[in-house]
Amino acid sequence: MSRPKRREQSAPQRVRIKDKTSRNKKKTKTAAISKRHKTSTTCATTKWKQLSRLQRSLILFVLALTLVLGLLSYSHISKPRIDLSKKDDWLEMNDVGLKPAFPDVKINPVVGPDSVTGMKGPKIPIFQRPPTNKKFPNKRGPPSLHKNENISIVVGRQEQVQDEEENGEKQKKLVSWRGAMIEADQVTEPPLSANEKVAAAHPAPEIPAGTIPATALSGDVDRLEAVRDAFRHAWKGYKDYAWGHDELKPISKSFSEWFGLGLTLIDSLDTMWIMDLKEEFAEAKQWIEKELSFNQNVDVNLFETTIRILGGLLSTYHLTGDQLFLNKAKDLGSRLMPAFKTPSKIPFSDVNIGKGTAHPPRWTSDSSMAEVTSIQLEFRELSRLTQDPQYKEAVDEVMKQVHKLPGKHDGLIPMFINTNSGQFSHRGIYTLGARADSYYEYLLKQWLQGGKTEDELLEDYIEAINGVKKHLVRQTGPRKLTFVGELSHNRFSPKMDHLVCFLPGTLALGAHNDLPGDHMDLAAQLMETCHHMYTQMETGLSPEIAHFNMHATDSKDIIVKPADRHNLLRPETVESLFYMYRFTKDPKYRDWGWQILKSFNKYTKVSDGGYTSINNVRDPENPEPRDKMESFFLGETLKYFYLLFSDDMELLSLDKYIFNTEAHPLPIWPSPPK
Ligand code: DMJ
């Protein structure tokens, strides 16, 4: 049977013929366009030649002017490009920006008291929501929580403020509501407290029995409850606006993504367990079960992912006994291993956990010392739990190499190491702050984790602390405050990061484990200094970096440079207060912690949920919210507050647990049989 010819064409043939026809059509069209173009060009050239010289110069001048103006306005509106995938760049961007996320946000100072103390407070900025083009609201979490969308954001205040006039613009009537100001027409029923919610109709899903039973509040109940309230408030913001994302941006009620792995949620798990926040824990666990996947084409930072996510999962496994968390930890751990495939076996900083590839940062083949030497507690524990030695072997190899490496300065290490050569790089700068800090912390903690059997770790720790005392410890002129400065090419700089405030806690932990008694003396002195870094600021909150005055004058001990005035809700001082209290029982450490919590509530609490880092600890009138709640605020800062105020010394006993550098407790290993 013969078919019409067209029908006999195979599909690919038909496509080819169609292509040819359309190509011919296109050719004709292109020829016509180019002919038209040619004609009009010839015509324009003739006309141009007919103009006088003056007319031509005038036209050229106008064209040049337009071009210059165009260029100028372009450079004004375009902003510098910043790589937002890098946390350091994020922080740096914030440092440079130092301003609210939206330039058109209005700031209206008003007066109000502190939400915890009821004391009169400072002038507080009200942030009006900027217009948004977003198609979808940034709300996350159950829809029942999506109410009061237009509540104005205010940080810590209670009074009624009526019809304020500012710059000729009438403000809406505001009323106080649990430390926050909201517009009067949006007042609704008070939300149930977490305890009321638990008692109410929705029974919390069952949590598996763990190794640490959640206990009733024991300690200063008011303070403990204030910490739980703070956590619930932070969690509410995360749940409403950033659920399942890395970090909450509480002012703009949105989120930021760093790795896209639900960073805040995972960092918070064990804190919720410890605080006995069952309902919150259960919903987070459900997200882990249903949503969390590490099979993603994403570059993560080895160190940050290890301390926050791997550490968080491992400690939650220990506290709850729930296999889910160990399975997730195993999956993540194995995906991080490609980082160690380097010529020197010193790991790269970044790993793609989906592709199984790793690389250093774009600008260098170096890794930072703190990063490669502060992943050991987690990987070693993973090996113990899985009976798979590869994790421990990889991180022990790093420590072995660093132990033998030439170029230390009386136990102090430079800030970088090269992943090709395995040698220190950028030598000559010695600090206990950023890029080196947790190397010192993990020397001691690995030694403790392993049951005090690994002598090299202890040797390195003791030598390093002697180096710190010899080269970095100095006193201020006015009050004789002891601080830890930095050494830069043999020049001493009296600069101390807030990060260094982990040191009193670590020193105290060492002294508690029979290391030299003068470590405890130094711990107490440094603790005092870290306390002053808060109390000498107008907001009662520490700056990111302090400079110390070494001259014997009547003036201040602490100088803060404009670029260092921010506070990121960091934990180190509270962490050390916790250790100092546990080992001395001196109530002053609790009181110091309480003052800090009150200041956080006064200057960083955002009315609609969440806490924000701020730009200016010296200006209580306008601390300048930065619109970011770091995951460590829930993972570390609030956890250490809770442990500081708890009387239950068996709640994560320091003789049974070591805390990783993100405050995730891991067990001290049982001693091997003799
Ligand atoms: C945390 O991620 C860890 O404590 C780390 O060791 C240092 N930086 C932050 C908190 O400040």
Side-chain angles (χ1 to χ4, degrees):
M1 210 171 68
S2 74
R3 288 183 183 171
K5 223 175 181 177
R6 210 175 118 76
R7 287 200 161 219
E8 281 168 18
Q9 291 164 2
S10 65
Q13 263 175 334
R14 275 200 304 274
V15 172
R16 269 201 302 276
I17 290 168
K18 208 174 156 200
D19 273 350
K20 213 172 164 187
T21 325
S22 77
R23 258 205 310 276
N24 286 340
K25 271 187 195 161
K26 261 187 205 156
K27 263 188 190 167
T28 328
K29 205 172 165 192
T30 317
I33 291 172
S34 87
K35 196 175 168 196
R36 267 205 309 275
H37 180 69
K38 221 172 169 180
T39 324
S40 66
T41 315
T42 325
C43 181
T45 319
T46 322
K47 279 190 180 156
W48 176 253
K49 281 184 183 159
Q50 285 165 357
L51 294 175
S52 73
R53 181 175 289 184
L54 180 68
Q55 282 171 319
R56 283 191 223 162
S57 313
L58 256 176
I59 290 170
L60 285 175
F61 175 71
V62 170
L63 281 175
L65 194 69
T66 319
L67 188 70
V68 169
L69 286 176
L71 279 175
L72 276 178
S73 64
Y74 174 77
S75 69
H76 181 68
I77 56 172
S78 62
K79 292 208 173 96
R81 285 176 68 86
I82 295 171
D83 180 6
L84 301 185
S85 68
K86 291 277 173 294
K87 178 73 164 186
D88 282 349
D89 291 348
W90 270 103
L91 296 180
E92 211 171 283
M93 178 186 71
N94 286 332
D95 286 347
V96 176
L98 298 182
K99 291 288 166 283
F102 301 97
D104 51 350
V105 163
K106 283 211 176 109
I107 296 172
N108 302 311
V110 285
V111 180
D114 164 294
S115 62
V116 169
T117 58
M119 281 156 34
K120 281 281 173 194
K123 288 183 182 171
I124 309 286
I126 299 172
F127 290 85
Q128 290 174 347
R129 292 187 78 188
T132 171
N133 294 327
K134 278 185 188 134
K135 267 194 187 163
F136 306 105
N138 281 321
K139 285 184 173 290
R140 293 293 183 277
S144 60
L145 293 160
H146 299 180
K147 52 185 177 185
N148 291 344
E149 295 220 28
N150 296 316
I151 292 176
S152 301
I153 294 165
V154 179
V155 181
R157 41 173 302 160
Q158 285 173 335
E159 288 177 333
Q160 201 164 44
V161 181
Q162 304 236 338
D163 289 346
E164 290 180 350
E165 299 255 329
E166 179 78 12
N167 300 328
E169 262 187 62
K170 199 162 192 177
Q171 302 295 304
K172 282 209 168 187
K173 189 187 247 181
L174 301 173
V175 294
S176 72
W177 171 232
R178 288 168 70 97
M181 296 307 296
I182 59 176
E183 288 169 11
D185 53 357
Q186 287 162 335
V187 180
T188 57
E189 281 296 303
L192 295 176
S193 74
N195 288 340
E196 287 165 328
K197 279 184 193 160
V198 172
H202 313 288
E206 240 185 65
I207 297 169
T211 50
I212 297 225
T215 49
L217 297 186
S218 119
D220 186 327
V221 176
D222 285 348
R223 291 180 178 183
L224 282 171
E225 203 45 57
V227 182
R228 279 157 53 95
D229 274 347
F231 185 94
R232 281 189 286 249
H233 186 81
W235 186 250
K236 177 188 175 335
Y238 176 73
K239 186 169 162 179
D240 285 0
Y241 307 114
W243 186 249
H245 295 282
D246 283 343
E247 289 144 340
L248 168 69
K249 296 176 66 144
I251 303 290
S252 54
K253 298 181 177 173
S254 59
F255 57 85
S256 56
E257 219 65 289
W258 189 6
F259 310 134
L261 296 175
L263 199 59
T264 297
L265 188 148
I266 303 177
D267 223 357
S268 306
L269 286 168
D270 54 7
T271 307
M272 292 187 276
W273 181 265
I274 291 161
M275 290 184 186
D276 199 20
L277 296 170
K278 291 194 176 70
E279 197 182 342
E280 291 82 350
F281 182 87
E283 61 199 5
K285 181 190 156 185
Q286 213 172 48
W287 182 87
I288 305 253
E289 215 162 16
K290 302 227 163 90
E291 309 286 338
L292 178 63
S293 163
F294 294 124
N295 189 13
Q296 291 191 46
N297 177 8
V298 60
D299 275 356
V300 303
N301 174 285
L302 171 69
F303 163 74
E304 298 289 358
T305 308
T306 300
I307 64 167
R308 300 187 198 212
I309 302 187
L310 185 58
L313 291 168
L314 288 173
S315 75
T316 308
Y317 166 68
H318 277 296
L319 298 181
T320 63
D322 190 331
Q323 196 67 26
L324 166 73
F325 300 106
L326 181 57
N327 292 341
K328 290 285 178 191
K330 270 194 248 175
D331 183 25
L332 177 61
S334 63
R335 289 171 185 277
L336 292 173
M337 289 307 283
F340 295 89
K341 285 192 195 135
T342 68
S344 64
K345 298 189 181 160
I346 301 295
F348 285 136
S349 60
D350 298 291
V351 200
N352 187 305
I353 51 173
K355 288 190 195 156
T357 53
H359 59 88
R362 275 193 303 275
W363 55 89
T364 175
S365 53
D366 292 345
S367 287
S368 102
M369 275 307 295
E371 292 196 359
V372 301
T373 57
S374 314
I375 49 179
Q376 278 64 15
L377 294 175
E378 301 80 357
F379 276 81
R380 284 155 51 109
E381 178 60 11
L382 187 60
S383 270
R384 194 178 72 92
L385 291 171
T386 58
Q387 298 292 302
D388 179 350
Q390 62 163 325
Y391 309 109
K392 181 174 187 300
E393 283 168 6
V395 295
D396 282 352
E397 170 66 23
V398 178
M399 294 314 294
K400 228 182 276 163
Q401 288 194 36
V402 172
H403 174 72
K404 288 190 293 212
L405 215 52
K408 288 188 207 131
H409 188 50
D410 289 330
L412 304 176
I413 45 145
M415 292 155 85
F416 294 96
I417 188 163
N418 189 274
T419 50
N420 291 322
S421 66
Q423 300 296 312
F424 288 127
S425 67
H426 297 89
R427 298 172 187 218
I429 301 180
Y430 302 98
T431 172
L432 266 273
R435 306 213 177 269
D437 49 358
S438 41
Y439 160 73
Y440 303 99
E441 177 189 350
Y442 268 37
L443 284 175
L444 177 71
K445 288 183 175 175
Q446 285 175 82
W447 178 69
L448 294 175
Q449 178 189 43
K452 305 183 184 175
T453 54
E454 297 146 293
D455 296 342
E456 289 183 350
L457 294 165
L458 180 62
E459 279 164 29
D460 287 353
Y461 178 72
I462 300 276
E463 195 193 350
I465 299 304
N466 287 337
V468 170
K469 286 194 284 191
K470 183 169 168 192
H471 299 289
L472 305 182
V473 171
R474 297 284 183 279
Q475 285 196 330
T476 61
R479 284 181 203 228
K480 306 283 171 245
L481 295 181
T482 302
F483 67 94
V484 180
E486 296 183 355
L487 208 56
S488 176
H489 304 288
N490 291 323
R491 275 196 56 201
F492 181 79
S493 160
K495 160 183 178 277
M496 177 167 147
D497 293 352
H498 181 271
L499 288 168
V500 182
C501 289
F502 82 91
L503 190 58
T506 298
L507 287 168
L509 180 63
H512 175 72
N513 282 283
D514 304 324
L515 300 193
D518 65 351
H519 286 203
M520 193 60 186
D521 301 336
L522 182 57
Q525 290 161 17
L526 291 173
M527 192 73 261
E528 186 98 21
T529 304
C530 292
H531 166 60
H532 275 274
M533 283 167 67
Y534 284 74
T535 54
Q536 292 196 17
M537 298 302 118
E538 290 77 353
T539 55
L541 291 173
S542 168
E544 176 72 357
I545 299 171
H547 283 79
F548 289 90
N549 172 15
M550 295 174 71
H551 304 291
T553 59
D554 282 344
S555 62
K556 299 220 159 169
D557 296 276
I558 299 174
I559 302 147
V560 186
K561 302 200 169 168
D564 306 333
R565 292 185 302 206
H566 47 294
N567 179 296
L568 304 184
L569 312 170
R570 284 197 192 276
E572 290 76 17
T573 296
V574 189
E575 168 185 353
S576 284
L577 288 171
F578 156 65
Y579 283 99
M580 294 302 287
Y581 181 77
R582 278 263 169 122
F583 297 134
T584 66
K585 302 289 178 313
D586 186 335
K588 78 177 177 198
Y589 296 123
R590 279 185 164 176
D591 293 341
W592 293 356
W594 179 237
Q595 292 308 323
I596 296 174
L597 179 62
K598 284 196 292 183
S599 296
F600 276 134
N601 273 326
K602 195 163 178 176
Y603 295 105
T604 72
K605 188 172 179 180
V606 178
S607 67
D608 227 15
Y611 286 74
T612 178
S613 44
I614 55 172
N615 268 326
N616 194 352
V617 296
R618 307 234 60 165
D619 189 353
E621 306 291 306
N622 180 14
E624 293 179 38
R626 286 165 76 107
D627 197 16
K628 172 75 93 73
M629 183 173 78
E630 300 281 347
S631 77
F632 51 67
F633 183 63
L634 292 87
E636 294 194 71
T637 313
L638 293 176
K639 184 188 288 148
Y640 283 130
F641 271 128
Y642 190 81
L643 294 172
L644 169 66
F645 298 137
S646 170
D647 277 347
D648 184 357
M649 299 297 134
E650 282 308 301
L651 179 58
L652 300 171
S653 154
L654 290 170
D655 294 318
K656 294 181 186 146
Y657 286 87
I658 27 115
F659 287 82
N660 86 340
T661 192
E662 188 75 6
H664 297 303
L666 299 171
I668 290 174
W669 300 341
S671 307
K674 289 187 181 145

Coordinates of all heavy atoms in Angstrom, one line a residue, residues 303-304 307-308 437-438 499 570-572 632 636 661-662, ligand 1:
F303 N 35.0 23.0 58.2 CA 35.0 23.3 59.7 C 33.6 23.7 60.2 O 33.1 23.1 61.2 CB 36.0 24.5 59.9 CG 35.9 25.2 61.2 CD1 36.3 24.6 62.4 CD2 35.3 26.5 61.3 CE1 36.2 25.2 63.6 CE2 35.2 27.1 62.5 CZ 35.6 26.5 63.7
E304 N 33.0 24.6 59.5 CA 31.7 25.1 60.0 C 30.7 24.0 60.0 O 29.8 23.9 60.9 CB 31.2 26.3 59.2 CG 32.1 27.5 59.3 CD 32.0 28.3 60.6 OE1 31.3 27.8 61.5 OE2 32.8 29.3 60.7
I307 N 31.6 21.5 62.9 CA 31.3 21.9 64.3 C 29.8 22.1 64.5 O 29.3 21.8 65.6 CB 32.1 23.1 64.8 CG1 31.8 24.4 64.0 CG2 33.6 22.8 64.7 CD1 32.3 25.7 64.6
R308 N 29.1 22.7 63.5 CA 27.7 23.0 63.8 C 26.8 21.8 63.5 O 25.9 21.5 64.2 CB 27.3 24.2 62.9 CG 28.1 25.4 63.2 CD 27.6 26.7 62.5 NE 28.6 27.7 62.5 CZ 28.3 29.0 62.5 NH1 27.1 29.4 62.5 NH2 29.3 29.9 62.5
D437 N 42.1 30.4 67.3 CA 41.5 30.2 68.6 C 41.3 28.8 69.0 O 41.8 28.2 69.9 CB 40.2 31.0 68.7 CG 39.2 30.8 67.5 OD1 39.6 30.1 66.6 OD2 38.1 31.4 67.6
S438 N 40.5 28.1 68.2 CA 40.0 26.7 68.7 C 41.1 25.7 68.5 O 40.9 24.5 69.0 CB 38.7 26.3 68.0 OG 38.7 26.7 66.7
L499 N 36.3 36.7 70.5 CA 36.5 35.2 70.4 C 37.4 34.7 71.4 O 37.3 33.5 71.9 CB 37.1 34.9 69.0 CG 36.1 35.0 67.8 CD1 36.9 35.0 66.5 CD2 35.1 34.0 67.8
R570 N 27.6 36.6 70.1 CA 28.6 35.5 70.3 C 28.5 35.0 71.7 O 28.2 35.7 72.6 CB 30.0 36.1 70.0 CG 30.3 36.2 68.5 CD 31.8 36.3 68.3 NE 32.2 36.8 67.0 CZ 32.3 36.0 66.0 NH1 32.0 34.7 66.1 NH2 32.7 36.5 64.8
P571 N 29.0 33.7 71.8 CA 28.8 33.0 73.1 C 30.0 33.0 74.0 O 29.9 32.6 75.2 CB 28.7 31.6 72.6 CG 29.5 31.5 71.4 CD 29.4 32.8 70.7
E572 N 31.2 33.4 73.5 CA 32.5 33.0 74.3 C 32.5 33.4 75.8 O 32.9 32.6 76.6 CB 33.7 33.5 73.6 CG 34.0 32.8 72.2 CD 33.1 33.3 71.1 OE1 32.5 34.3 71.2 OE2 33.1 32.6 70.1
F632 N 24.7 30.2 66.0 CA 25.4 29.9 67.3 C 24.7 30.6 68.5 O 24.9 30.3 69.7 CB 26.9 30.2 67.3 CG 27.3 31.6 66.8 CD1 27.0 32.7 67.5 CD2 28.0 31.7 65.6 CE1 27.4 34.0 67.0 CE2 28.5 32.9 65.1 CZ 28.1 34.1 65.8
E636 N 24.8 27.9 71.0 CA 25.8 28.1 72.0 C 25.4 29.1 73.1 O 25.3 28.7 74.3 CB 27.1 28.7 71.4 CG 27.8 27.7 70.5 CD 29.2 28.2 70.2 OE1 30.1 28.2 71.2 OE2 29.5 28.7 69.1
T661 N 33.5 23.1 69.9 CA 33.6 24.5 69.9 C 32.3 25.2 69.5 O 32.3 26.4 69.5 CB 34.8 24.9 69.0 OG1 35.1 26.3 69.2 CG2 34.5 24.7 67.5
E662 N 31.3 24.5 69.2 CA 30.0 25.0 68.9 C 29.0 24.6 70.1 O 27.8 24.6 69.9 CB 29.5 24.5 67.6 CG 28.3 25.1 67.0 CD 28.4 26.5 66.5 OE1 29.5 27.0 66.4 OE2 27.3 27.1 66.1
Ligands
DMJ1 C1 31.2 29.5 66.7 O1 30.8 29.0 65.5 C2 32.2 28.7 67.3 O2 32.3 29.0 68.7 C3 33.6 29.0 66.8 O3 34.6 28.3 67.5 C4 33.9 30.5 66.8 N1 32.9 31.2 66.2 C5 31.5 31.0 66.6 C6 31.0 31.7 67.8 O4 31.5 32.9 68.0

